[in-house]
Amino acid sequence: MNGQPLKPWLAPLALIGLLAVMGFVLPAYHHNNMARILVLAVFAMGYNIAFGYTGLLSLGHALFFGAGLYAAGLAINQGGVTAGLALGLGLLAGGGVALATGVLALRTAGVSFMIVTLMFAQAGYLLLLYFGAFTGGDEGFVVARTGRVLGGFDLTTDGPRYGLALGLFTLAILGQTAIVRAPFGRVMVAMRENSARAQMLGFDPFRTKLIVLVISGLYSGVAGAAYGILFGYVGASFAAIQYSILPLLWVLLGGSGTVLGPFLGVFIMFYLIDLSSSYTSAHLMVVGVALLVLVLFAPRGILGGLRKRWGTWLA
Amino acid sequence: MAFGPFLLLALMEGLVTAAVLALTALGLSLVFGVMRVVNVAHGAFFMLGAVGAWFVTEWVGNPPALGFALALVICPLAVGAIAALANGLVLKRLNYDPEATIVATIGLLYIFQQMALTLYGPDARPVPAPFSFRVQLPWFGYSGYKLAVIGAAAVVLAGVWLVLNRSKIGLVMRATQIDREMAQAFGINVDRVYAGVFAMGAGLAAVAAVLIVPIQQAHYLMGGDPLLLSFIVVIIGGLGSLRGTLVAALLIGLSDGVISVFFSPTLAKIIATLLVALVLVFRPQGLFGRQVTR
Amino acid sequence: MTAKLGSAFPNRRSVLGGMAAGSGLLAAAGAFPGFVQAQSSAPIKLGFQLHRTGIGASYGRWYQRTTQAALKLLNETGGINGRPVEVVFEDDGTDPARGAEVVGKLATQHGCDAIFGPLFSHVVIGSAPRAGELKIPYLVCSEGYHVASGMLNRWTLQPGITDVKAQVRAMAPWVTANLGKKVTMIFPDYAFGHDHRDFFTQAVKEQGGEVIAHLAIPPTETSFTRYMPQIPAETEVLYHVMVGPAVLTFVKELGEFYGNGPRPEIFGFIDSLEAVNLASPGLEFLEGTHFWEGHCRNQQPDASVDETFYRAAVGVDATGASLADARDISTYSHMFSTWETLFVIKAGMEAAGYQGPKDRQSFVEAIEAMTTLPASRAHPQGDKIFNGKTHQVFGHQSISKVTGGQLMRVYQTSIAQGQYPDAVDYTQQSF
């Protein structure tokens, strides 16, 4: 009779159901957009786990996204692997790079952590350019069509693409919910709220944060790999500083430390740019003003603001 | 060219970079230190200063020195006024919440970029230097204006140091930085201090931009690099340390140039970037700062 | 406030449709004169992927103006198959991810018949897969070697501008014969620069010359003086190509470095100075140096009637500046490609008897069947040869010398000098 343990799962499950229905009714353009949004939302959730729940303000997540993107793309084009294996490689690349970054960067905290992650990501970006003969440099490369087939489904067609994006998104959002509901999730929040106190209670902050960063890297890496496989292009712009700032913006906009916030943030940002560029040539202005209005109305992010008003079931 | 003069040239170039960087970073450091605001729009204030300098010098025409001198006065004031306005309209209403202000300053960044793109256009445009003479060294020639930039930046930095350390304004700012509530209790108008600090930070970025624009041209996307580098300088130098900011600016400005003497330029950038990261890994509070917390 | 600022730009949908009903046929509109009476009179809708914001915005503005001028002419002279033509402009932010989204938007939301216009290579490469998936013709104006190298797909074509490989190969014989055989190259350290590095180094070698040093400048660089000393003293020719907002700094600092002293011959790609006034302070030292130009910015004494017509139509004066604002310098060496591409679209659609999206495949096949494109109003830059297998066009290149602050052509290459063996045969690939 006690529905309490189910409650946190209601909102994500409802969203997944809605998105599944959307997959059948959306017109072609928005169908493709939504597939992109879902993949980027996985990336945003990875960021949310690190920043929203654990307080790790990283400016280097483009490195993890890029690691997954390039691992998958290069494995397909140079190694001729299948899409499934490429996704797995992207996942591992994101997690592995996050582990290596974390071992060094987590010796710092706060703003220093920001800058160290930023620097590592910048070095990663420049390495992509430096080894341009291999990576295609800033131009990037087109992912071979042979690597864009999964289990007989052609991922260059709308249905399977949406299906895989939604599948990943489902795993990611349920995984995120499970993590933050588990005892480990409480340790994460404790790290965010008061790292010293959590340490006194016997939790090792370094170890906890490292695990969190690796999980975050796994999310980012698989999102990068999926982006390359689903949309067919790998390029250095995805590893540039912009893709470190975007997940921060998405998470803050949607509501950091909320389950649905990352998705909402990506969704709003995407359509802000898309719609405003349809109606005015000065669309940067519209986006800027909209961000100001949103943040003035809901400084804790949209879901953060709603949660404050209407209770916690949303989060 | 022989190695010695080559190194000398790299050092001189590094000094110019460091001088401008120190000014920009100091502005960011003030805002960050006193207000705890991560101002993502700081690079956009820099850009507005440069674009403003183009408008002023175009409007004045000849002689270029007059236009430049006017720009050096008008642009920082105008940019500072814009910043104070943004502070009052947005940041203050957010109660300087660290996370909300990141989103807000990203919003400001978009707005300023669109303003520049619409009113100024997408081209990189040159601003004439107030004077042009070439210093002929035995091995190579060097722009006299660049040397003047180093001098001018030093003068401004000295002025800021005096204000911060020897004036009542500086005292009030430091008091607010250390303990906002206590400062308020002592009758300090914290709102005015914050508005002033935000304007001053933006104004310093604009000064740096006006100085550099005869060398680098004004472009509506030019704010990205100064923003990144300033952040790095502020953190490496340690928050609230003018000396640290200076040393870090020199370190960043020079390391990049000198390392590129030994390696291919892109590889040099990679190495310099990783060095900066490692400095912080092993000295997280920066070179001169106190322990920093979020 | 936003609406005010927005109105400073031409409206996004600067649609000049509805002006059909021709006032005379377009003179020599291409190789396909067949003027089929269309069954439908609904407008043909073309999508333009525009670099309105981002790093390519200087180019984007002129690409849009040129396209609007070409569209006006196109509609005044009967449109396509007698149908009026509309162009929908969408901003891609000069970003490959947004570029792919814009291709989708133009194709599926605006219902465009074909898409054209992007310049920056990463945008082209990022967007081409989406165009291939949607099976919509994607005609790029980029000068990148991505089309002819075979990395893209059957739906992507470059019929408006010669690619960088051909440009560079065509230049090399003249440079080694007239300027010197020991060359130092300065280029940005990313793909565009690497194309120059690889193709020019090879081409110079074939001419018996030698590239003695490569100076690859990191893309994030804003100051260049410290790289100058790495130019070897025995350099006879300094070859420079730079793009992005820092280009002017680069050229100025080159001048500061050499001053009035002895310097090597200097040969640059005009990409270093597109949209930049040659009379800018600090550029005086360029006097006497040489540039590649895709299309001569300064009106030449022997300018053809078509070229003169084109120049007036796009609103550019004899020095390459906007007629409306003399400080607004065009991207003359590249922007003709959008004009010519639009008329290739016309020729291709008319040859294919294009009615609607179901004819997209025959439209691509019709372009693949093109060979010679004679100089005309449709091709004001000059005659061209289209290679249907590689989807790449080849045209004449100009070498100009800065003389009294003007770029005066001293040599024009033949088309054959740029051609190279095919690396791909797209016609063998499936649609």
Side-chain angles (χ1 to χ4, degrees):
Chain A
M1 294 304 283
N2 189 349
Q4 210 53 21
L6 277 178
K7 206 173 157 191
W9 301 91
L10 289 181
L13 286 172
L15 177 63
I16 292 163
L18 179 69
L19 288 168
V21 174
M22 284 294 160
F24 294 97
V25 298
L26 282 176
Y29 175 59
H30 297 288
H31 193 267
N32 192 264
N33 287 347
M34 196 53 83
R36 283 179 199 274
I37 290 170
L38 289 175
V39 174
L40 293 176
V42 174
F43 181 30
M45 278 188 260
Y47 194 83
N48 190 34
I49 288 171
F51 168 68
Y53 288 107
T54 322
L56 292 172
L57 207 172
S58 147
L59 281 182
H61 266 56
L63 183 63
F64 312 149
F65 187 79
L69 180 75
Y70 273 89
L74 289 174
I76 287 171
N77 279 31
Q78 315 275 343
V81 309
T82 60
L85 187 56
L87 271 178
L89 286 172
L91 181 83
L92 293 180
V97 172
L99 178 68
T101 307
V103 166
L104 286 172
L106 285 170
R107 297 172 59 104
T108 66
V111 286
S112 295
F113 181 75
M114 263 167 70
I115 299 297
V116 172
T117 48
L118 173 71
M119 295 281 87
F120 281 133
Q122 192 69 5
Y125 170 68
L126 288 171
L127 277 173
L128 288 177
L129 299 185
Y130 188 68
F131 292 106
F134 190 59
T135 63
D138 62 310
E139 282 187 351
F141 57 87
V142 173
V143 179
R145 275 189 96 114
T146 50
R148 299 180 64 194
V149 178
L150 187 66
F153 289 104
D154 182 358
L155 297 173
T156 66
T157 55
D158 284 346
R161 172 160 37 210
Y162 191 91
L164 181 61
L166 182 59
L168 277 177
F169 177 80
T170 302
L171 289 176
I173 198 167
L174 296 181
Q176 180 189 241
T177 311
I179 291 168
V180 299
R181 293 289 146 186
F184 184 72
R186 314 213 177 266
V187 182
M188 283 162 54
V189 175
M191 290 297 159
R192 179 185 72 191
E193 297 302 328
N194 193 333
S195 184
R197 192 152 164 203
Q199 191 166 14
M200 283 199 300
L201 292 173
F203 300 108
D204 177 0
F206 181 82
R207 190 169 156 273
T208 309
K209 288 177 182 172
L210 191 59
I211 293 171
V212 165
L213 202 63
V214 170
I215 295 173
S216 183
L218 291 169
Y219 269 73
S220 310
V222 80
Y227 203 92
I229 292 167
L230 291 182
F231 304 105
Y233 171 70
V234 170
S237 62
F238 292 104
I241 172 80
Q242 191 198 358
Y243 275 79
S244 291
I245 294 176
L246 278 176
L248 172 65
L249 181 60
W250 292 329
V251 167
L252 287 177
L253 195 57
S256 79
T258 63
V259 170
L260 304 187
F263 167 79
L264 197 64
V266 177
F267 181 85
I268 290 173
M269 223 25 226
F270 188 98
Y271 276 101
L272 257 184
I273 291 174
D274 190 65
L275 293 177
S276 61
S277 71
S278 292
Y279 293 104
T280 165
S281 57
H283 61 90
L284 292 178
M285 176 69 77
V286 178
V287 174
V289 170
L291 286 180
L292 290 187
V293 170
L294 284 171
V295 80
L296 284 171
F297 168 71
R300 304 241 130 256
I302 293 170
L303 278 183
L306 291 180
R307 178 167 59 173
K308 214 171 158 191
R309 276 167 214 226
W310 290 310
T312 58
W313 67 272
L314 267 169
Chain B
M1 190 182 292
F3 181 74
F6 194 179
L7 198 61
L8 178 65
L9 180 65
L11 285 171
M12 288 167 78
E13 282 291 292
L15 269 181
V16 178
T17 311
V20 176
L21 190 51
L23 280 180
T24 319
L26 186 59
L28 192 70
S29 175
L30 282 176
V31 171
F32 205 5
V34 176
M35 302 165 71
R36 297 279 149 176
V37 165
V38 178
N39 180 16
V40 185
H42 194 65
F45 288 129
F46 181 90
M47 178 273 290
L48 288 180
V51 167
W54 183 83
F55 278 110
V56 172
T57 51
E58 274 288 301
W59 172 63
V60 173
N62 277 319
L66 178 65
F68 184 82
L70 273 177
L72 204 49
V73 176
I74 293 175
C75 294
L77 291 177
V79 171
I82 293 174
L85 191 68
N87 174 66
L89 288 178
V90 182
L91 300 184
K92 192 178 151 195
R93 289 171 196 232
L94 295 173
N95 207 19
Y96 304 102
D97 177 275
E99 293 173 5
T101 49
I102 293 180
V103 180
T105 51
I106 291 177
L108 289 174
L109 168 78
Y110 279 121
I111 292 172
F112 294 148
Q113 278 190 359
Q114 184 70 62
M115 276 165 57
L117 182 59
T118 305
L119 300 174
Y120 171 79
D123 298 333
R125 301 186 200 209
V127 170
F131 50 85
S132 62
F133 61 90
R134 223 166 141 266
V135 180
Q136 187 64 50
L137 299 175
W139 315 278
F140 56 84
Y142 200 71
S143 150
Y145 177 72
K146 283 188 178 176
L147 296 176
V149 167
I150 300 176
V155 170
V156 177
L157 285 170
V160 174
W161 185 85
L162 279 177
V163 170
L164 289 183
N165 289 295
R166 294 284 183 271
S167 76
K168 186 157 177 272
I169 300 173
L171 187 68
V172 166
M173 277 168 55
R174 272 179 290 141
T176 313
Q177 170 169 4
I178 293 163
D179 191 333
R180 182 180 169 182
E181 275 78 31
M182 190 67 89
Q184 211 147 18
F186 274 88
I188 291 175
N189 184 338
V190 172
D191 281 348
R192 264 179 60 191
V193 173
Y194 276 20
V197 166
F198 202 64
M200 190 170 163
L204 279 170
V207 172
V210 175
L211 285 176
I212 199 73
V213 76
I215 305 174
Q216 273 189 12
Q217 290 87 53
H219 184 259
Y220 85 108
L221 294 174
M222 73 190 296
D225 278 353
L227 173 70
L228 278 188
L229 289 173
S230 302
F231 258 117
I232 294 159
V233 163
V234 168
I235 306 306
I236 288 271
L239 270 183
S241 163
L242 183 60
R243 186 177 55 146
T245 304
L246 267 178
V247 173
L250 280 171
L251 184 77
I252 304 277
L254 293 181
S255 69
D256 189 54
V258 174
I259 295 172
S260 70
V261 174
F262 300 102
F263 298 98
S264 100
T266 303
L267 194 58
K269 280 246 184 279
I270 296 171
I271 293 171
T273 308
L274 289 176
L275 276 181
V276 169
L278 291 179
V279 165
L280 274 182
V281 166
F282 295 105
R283 206 180 151 72
Q285 71 274 36
L287 292 175
F288 293 90
R290 302 174 297 275
Q291 186 65 45
V292 176
T293 50
R294 193 165 75 86
Chain C
M1 178 162 65
T2 55
K4 274 250 164 59
L5 287 167
S7 66
F9 272 119
N11 192 340
R12 184 186 68 87
R13 288 181 200 155
S14 302
V15 173
L16 294 163
M19 290 196 249
S23 51
L25 285 173
L26 174 66
F32 298 90
F35 205 78
V36 187
Q37 185 55 46
Q39 291 164 353
S40 161
S41 58
I44 283 180
K45 231 179 183 185
L46 300 175
F48 195 102
Q49 199 184 12
L50 180 67
H51 304 330
R52 174 175 283 131
T53 56
I55 203 77
S58 286
Y59 283 97
R61 190 179 39 165
W62 281 100
Y63 270 37
Q64 182 174 19
R65 289 175 184 164
T66 308
T67 303
Q68 281 165 340
L71 182 63
K72 184 163 173 283
L73 175 66
L74 182 69
N75 278 322
E76 282 169 2
T77 52
I80 294 177
N81 274 335
R83 289 165 63 183
V85 179
E86 286 179 5
V87 174
V88 182
F89 293 93
E90 270 290 342
D91 179 24
D92 61 21
T94 326
D95 175 72
R98 184 62 194 155
E101 289 158 23
V102 162
V103 164
K105 189 171 189 177
L106 291 168
T108 58
Q109 203 179 40
H110 292 297
C112 292
D113 295 281
I115 297 171
F116 70 119
L119 167 71
F120 274 62
S121 294
H122 63 319
V123 177
V124 169
I125 298 169
S127 307
R130 186 71 187 129
E133 286 166 20
L134 292 166
K135 301 190 187 304
I136 184 165
Y138 183 49
L139 297 95
V140 303
C141 303
S142 149
E143 77 175 353
Y145 178 56
H146 34 53
V147 175
S149 68
M151 78 189 286
L152 302 179
N153 55 53
R154 184 121 190 221
W155 295 94
T156 307
L157 307 109
Q158 186 152 250
I161 190 166
T162 310
D163 69 12
V164 61
K165 181 171 183 177
Q167 290 170 359
V168 163
R169 289 176 60 86
M171 296 289 107
W174 189 90
V175 171
T176 50
N178 294 280
L179 298 180
K181 293 203 184 299
K182 285 185 176 167
V183 183
T184 293
M185 298 182 71
I186 304 185
F187 52 88
D189 197 7
Y190 53 81
F192 174 73
H194 296 165
D195 279 353
H196 275 271
R197 176 192 65 194
D198 299 343
F199 302 138
F200 193 75
T201 305
Q202 175 67 24
V204 164
K205 209 170 170 184
E206 286 168 14
Q207 300 299 323
E210 187 194 359
V211 175
I212 55 176
H214 288 126
L215 290 184
I217 311 287
T220 53
E221 201 55 276
T222 51
S223 171
F224 307 89
T225 302
R226 64 169 179 271
Y227 301 115
M228 308 297 177
Q230 300 180 22
I231 302 167
E234 66 270 29
T235 300
E236 293 170 2
V237 185
L238 186 65
Y239 177 109
H240 67 91
V241 54
M242 280 293 184
V243 285
V247 290
L248 187 52
T249 313
F250 167 77
V251 182
K252 279 172 70 172
E253 292 185 346
L254 197 60
E256 271 164 20
F257 181 74
Y258 282 116
N260 299 317
R263 59 163 172 82
E265 291 288 344
I266 294 177
F267 179 86
F269 260 61
I270 197 69
D271 303 57
S272 297
L273 290 172
E274 279 283 68
V276 172
N277 193 341
L278 275 180
S280 297
L283 297 190
E284 304 80 12
F285 89 103
L286 285 174
E287 186 71 18
T289 72
H290 294 84
F291 278 99
W292 163 85
E293 287 193 285
H295 198 193
C296 292
R297 174 191 295 185
N298 285 103
Q299 187 157 11
Q300 304 297 311
D302 62 347
S304 71
V305 182
D306 299 322
E307 142 68 19
T308 313
F309 173 85
Y310 161 82
R311 188 178 286 268
V314 297
V316 169
D317 69 14
T319 68
S322 164
L323 286 170
D325 178 1
R327 293 175 310 188
D328 188 357
I329 310 297
S330 64
T331 58
Y332 210 74
S333 269
H334 297 84
M335 67 198 209
F336 71 88
S337 59
T338 62
W339 174 292
E340 298 205 358
T341 300
L342 186 59
F343 285 103
V344 168
I345 293 173
K346 172 189 168 71
M349 284 189 167
E350 290 180 351
Y354 186 90
Q355 297 289 331
K358 64 174 173 41
D359 300 324
R360 279 174 179 163
Q361 183 174 327
S362 34
F363 167 64
V364 170
E365 285 166 341
I367 296 180
E368 284 172 345
M370 293 181 183
T371 49
T372 56
L373 309 168
S376 58
R377 265 191 191 179
H379 295 284
Q381 190 264 351
D383 60 317
K384 293 190 181 54
I385 292 176
F386 187 73
N387 183 335
K389 289 181 177 174
T390 64
H391 283 190
Q392 177 60 51
V393 84
F394 297 89
H396 299 279
Q397 312 301 320
S398 297
I399 295 175
S400 301
K401 184 175 186 177
V402 184
T403 315
Q406 311 280 310
L407 283 158
M408 301 313 288
R409 186 171 67 216
V410 293
Y411 182 69
Q412 187 169 43
T413 69
S414 71
I415 293 178
Q417 278 175 304
Q419 287 172 314
Y420 49 81
D422 294 355
V424 63
D425 185 355
Y426 283 116
T427 61
Q428 298 301 308
Q429 297 182 4
S430 60
F431 275 96

